[in-house]
Amino acid sequence: MLAHQARPRPADLHALAEEALLTTRPLLSLRGQTLDLDMPPDLPLVLADPRRLMQVLVNLISNASKYGPRERPIRLSVTTRGGVAFTRVADEGPGISEEQLALLFRPFTRPVEEDRTGGVGLGLSIVKTIIERHGGEVGVESRPGATVFWFTLPLAEDGQAPV
């Protein structure tokens, strides 16, 4: 299924984050990193295609691991407000230059400073497409020592937390 074929439905973001942790744990272990999850226990369901959302989470966590320093944690946090879930994936890496920030979500674009990491530069453009197809927004904030990729997703209409 391609990114543009998202099929949103009520989904448990907490369970998907736990699954993304299991998926990325081998990579994190190789670099001596941990993934710290910070989510409310009663997190409401979001409106998302679970497979596509997993793709987003794994991509962002993998990038944070790749560009973050060894032996330092990656943080995934979720808050809710105004009918949306606001998810952040943060690392303690060197940061991204202003010039590169403007280009990050374009296909085939990677930070020039980190050319040694491999990849073709499609991951973040796919993340952006997936999130926007879900009616959300995606962005990045960066400075030396901290880069945070964030995205929003609408909460499911009933707002119910998973049982």
Side-chain angles (χ1 to χ4, degrees), residues 61-128:
I61 294 165
S62 297
N63 281 353
S65 174
K66 186 186 325 184
Y67 293 106
R70 292 180 173 274
E71 312 287 325
R72 299 299 302 157
I74 307 301
R75 292 179 182 83
L76 188 153
S77 62
V78 180
T79 57
T80 59
R81 68 176 179 266
V84 300
F86 192 77
T87 303
R88 296 171 191 84
V89 177
D91 67 58
E92 298 175 8
I96 304 167
S97 71
E98 287 292 323
E99 300 80 38
Q100 291 298 311
L101 282 174
L103 304 173
L104 276 183
F105 294 102
R106 292 185 185 172
F108 306 108
T109 302
R110 294 180 23 242
V112 175
E113 306 89 33
E114 296 294 331
D115 206 36
R116 60 179 159 60
T117 60
V120 295
L122 285 175
L124 291 175
S125 67
I126 292 170
V127 163
K128 181 176 172 60

Side-chain angles (χ1 to χ4, degrees), residues 23-100:
T23 300
T24 57
R25 185 171 278 147
L27 172 64
L28 297 171
S29 293
L30 280 174
R31 298 186 43 83
Q33 298 165 323
T34 58
L35 179 63
D36 298 340
L37 298 177
D38 180 15
M39 294 183 270
D42 59 346
L43 184 65
L45 298 175
V46 294
L47 196 56
D49 181 324
R51 287 180 35 161
R52 297 303 89 180
L53 185 51
M54 266 298 288
Q55 187 176 356
V56 166
L57 292 170
V58 167
N59 182 283
L60 293 178
I61 294 165
S62 297
N63 281 353
S65 174
K66 186 186 325 184
Y67 293 106
R70 292 180 173 274
E71 312 287 325
R72 299 299 302 157
I74 307 301
R75 292 179 182 83
L76 188 153
S77 62
V78 180
T79 57
T80 59
R81 68 176 179 266
V84 300
F86 192 77
T87 303
R88 296 171 191 84
V89 177
D91 67 58
E92 298 175 8
I96 304 167
S97 71
E98 287 292 323
E99 300 80 38
Q100 291 298 311

